[in-house]
Amino acid sequence: MSLLPISRTKRIVCRSKNVSTKVYSKKETSSSRYHDLDCHGTIVQQKNDNNNNNNNSRRRVLKEGITGLSILYSSIFSRSALASFNEPQSIAIPLLYTGSEYLICYRIDSKLFRAVLDTGSPFLMIPGSCGENTRRKSGCYEQEGVPSGLSSTFEQFDGFEGEVEWRRAPFSFYNATGSMFVSSPTIVFGVADEGILGGTGGVFFGLIKETDSWIRPSFLGQTDVTSFQIDLRTKVGSENVENNLATASPSLTLSNVPQLSSLTDYIPITRDLRRYGDPVQHYVSKVKSICINGIPLIPSDKRPIYAIFDTGVTGMVLSRELYDQRYLEARTRREKKLWGGEVEVTFETAQNKIKSIVGMKPLTTPFNPRKSWKKFQGHVIVLGLSFLNGRNLVVDIDDRRILLED
């Protein structure tokens, strides 16, 4: 549910009974169906009824892998006298990779749910139904929690509009390690109805913390988290070194203290989009340059480019002006590939160094940011998993610092 998309478009325009969540947009390329909801972490290839091998890489399922080990639950607990609120705390949660998205598992009122990890949206969401497809993808809603006291909002996702009910319930992560104390034993979450689920195909677990006051509570805004780490690097297990077999170990770590030291160089997070009317503080930085297949894409209007880091997007989303400019320039040069090669985006770090991030053949979609931010003077690109896969993303939210490691 973030600013922008990559396959089916998810566009959130909130009209409310009282209040709602404004406009973001997202397209995501995700598998259209899963087997029974599972959070044990074994990834297998899904059988394709049509034997279409071209789509097999995108159609993955999570196969249940029950072992003799006990299942560990690490909750976000209510604050107690047994532990100091100010002492460093962190919690690490495993992620499940489907081939096109990373899923996180959690419990609402002890009921297990699963959602797409999304650094481009703020809310904790669950599906508002218990149909067969929904149950297999995201979980089964059976009136978990109690009314939060907040009025419902209407959300529109690119033509798919539905109501979101805001409820409150105890919350815990599934199969996590560590713990963290918060000021309330319950968390506000959104329940999306079938009108929304029919368009997006699932729900999202948002990691944006800062929002305007009129927006419903963000998940991280209800916690003491000041920093998170999303490790999507491929690691080599010690038992597989001889055969050089890689073992994926994706994870999310939440912390109530900054994770970057004062000596660590970083990419600064800018608040420029907030000044133009963005209702949430995206994890966004100013771009130094962008090159496609080694050819610079320099905005003809000389306006700045801002990049949003978004794990809920699979490829790249680009301002319409830049998209059209790239098309015309590639056509003039008679290039064979528009976005089909290497896309390199660079940033200037706090220590005046250049940090480069490369995406290979990102599925690219245009959008118009001025529909949301009418006074916006610039360009936006949304960098999804084509750029983030295989990397370690660390965000010190309150200090506005981003670290990207290969």
Side-chain angles (χ1 to χ4, degrees):
M1 172 171 115
S2 84
L3 177 80
L4 232 59
I6 286 270
S7 179
R8 270 187 313 262
T9 302
K10 174 179 75 171
R11 182 175 190 67
I12 304 170
V13 185
C14 271
R15 294 183 298 113
S16 72
K17 291 181 171 177
N18 280 323
V19 125
S20 56
T21 54
K22 197 78 173 175
V23 179
Y24 338 141
S25 182
K26 160 172 296 205
K27 265 184 189 172
E28 46 171 311
T29 301
S30 60
S31 57
S32 59
R33 53 184 181 267
Y34 297 93
H35 289 171
D36 288 340
L37 182 64
D38 172 70
C39 289
H40 296 286
T42 303
I43 301 175
V44 298
Q45 182 93 22
Q46 182 180 17
K47 292 182 180 179
N48 189 328
D49 295 337
N50 297 322
N51 296 318
N52 186 347
N53 293 327
N54 292 330
N55 289 329
N56 280 344
S57 62
R58 288 186 180 269
R59 297 187 178 183
R60 310 247 176 182
V61 295
L62 306 173
K63 184 175 172 129
E64 185 172 1
I66 301 177
T67 68
L69 299 176
S70 61
I71 297 176
L72 173 65
Y73 297 94
S74 290
S75 302
I76 292 188
F77 298 99
S78 59
R79 202 181 294 162
S80 75
L82 298 178
S84 169
F85 169 66
N86 293 319
E87 65 186 29
Q89 300 154 10
S90 66
I91 185 167
I93 309 100
L95 303 175
L96 309 175
Y97 187 50
T98 69
S100 60
E101 58 199 1
Y102 287 91
L103 305 178
I104 186 168
C105 296
Y106 50 94
R107 291 186 181 274
I108 299 288
D109 243 1
S110 299
K111 176 68 72 65
L112 186 63
F113 293 95
R114 188 174 67 182
V116 176
L117 186 71
D118 187 10
T119 58
S121 66
F123 304 123
L124 169 63
M125 300 287 288
I126 66 172
S129 71
C130 197
E132 182 179 358
N133 289 336
T134 299
R135 185 173 65 250
R136 291 178 177 179
K137 289 183 289 188
S138 304
C140 175
Y141 175 62
E142 295 178 311
Q143 298 297 314
E144 279 72 30
V146 297
S148 65
L150 299 170
S151 59
S152 298
T153 59
F154 284 97
E155 315 281 349
Q156 182 180 344
F157 296 71
D158 245 14
F160 294 91
E161 185 177 66
E163 186 173 3
V164 174
E165 178 186 1
W166 299 96
R167 298 178 68 82
R168 180 182 289 276
F171 171 90
S172 65
F173 287 110
Y174 178 86
N175 202 26
T177 56
S179 63
M180 186 167 294
F181 295 89
V182 295
S183 56
S184 172
T186 58
I187 292 288
V188 173
F189 62 96
V191 182
D193 75 3
E194 283 292 346
I196 294 174
L197 296 175
T200 64
V203 292
F204 295 82
F205 189 102
L207 288 181
I208 286 181
K209 180 179 180 180
E210 180 185 328
T211 68
D212 282 350
S213 60
W214 55 268
I215 288 182
R216 292 294 179 255
S218 68
F219 171 72
L220 290 186
Q222 300 175 76
T223 74
D224 302 308
V225 171
T226 64
S227 178
F228 66 80
Q229 174 185 8
I230 302 175
D231 192 347
L232 306 181
R233 292 172 292 188
T234 299
K235 302 175 182 178
V236 177
S238 57
E239 70 277 11
N240 295 323
V241 171
E242 286 187 5
N243 298 322
N244 196 30
L245 297 177
T247 302
S249 305
S251 64
L252 165 69
T253 300
L254 303 176
S255 174
N256 70 341
V257 296
Q259 298 186 64
L260 303 180
S261 73
S262 59
L263 299 178
T264 303
D265 198 11
Y266 61 89
I267 301 171
I269 294 176
T270 179
R271 295 184 63 84
D272 287 1
L273 298 188
R274 295 285 275 156
R275 290 194 284 270
Y276 287 118
D278 191 349
V280 301
Q281 176 59 57
H282 281 95
Y283 304 119
V284 55
S285 300
K286 210 167 191 178
V287 171
K288 179 74 172 178
S289 67
I290 177 172
C291 292
I292 297 92
N293 299 323
I295 301 173
L297 179 60
I298 302 172
S300 56
D301 57 15
K302 308 300 182 182
R303 291 174 177 172
I305 304 174
Y306 298 94
I308 293 173
F309 300 92
D310 191 339
T311 60
V313 164
T314 58
M316 178 172 69
V317 184
L318 197 70
S319 290
R320 168 60 73 178
E321 294 95 332
L322 281 183
Y323 188 95
D324 291 343
Q325 180 181 330
R326 166 61 185 159
Y327 174 79
L328 292 174
E329 291 177 356
R331 185 175 180 180
T332 299
R333 286 189 289 263
R334 297 183 179 180
E335 295 181 44
K336 295 182 179 180
K337 298 178 180 178
L338 186 60
W339 306 103
E342 178 181 280
V343 178
E344 180 184 24
V345 182
T346 67
F347 304 87
E348 185 172 343
T349 69
Q351 298 178 8
N352 298 316
K353 298 178 181 179
I354 300 300
K355 175 63 180 179
S356 172
I357 180 172
V358 175
M360 297 301 299
K361 302 179 180 179
L363 179 61
T364 303
T365 305
F367 86 111
N368 181 6
R370 291 185 183 84
K371 286 186 177 180
S372 303
W373 315 318
K374 298 187 183 301
K375 296 181 180 180
F376 179 62
Q377 300 295 318
H379 305 279
V380 173
I381 59 176
V382 182
L383 303 178
L385 294 180
S386 294
F387 296 86
L388 301 177
N389 253 338
R391 294 182 170 88
N392 182 40
L393 172 67
V394 181
V395 178
D396 279 351
I397 303 170
D398 295 353
D399 292 340
R400 300 205 295 273
R401 302 184 296 182
I402 291 176
L403 175 68
L404 274 170
E405 298 177 302
D406 294 331

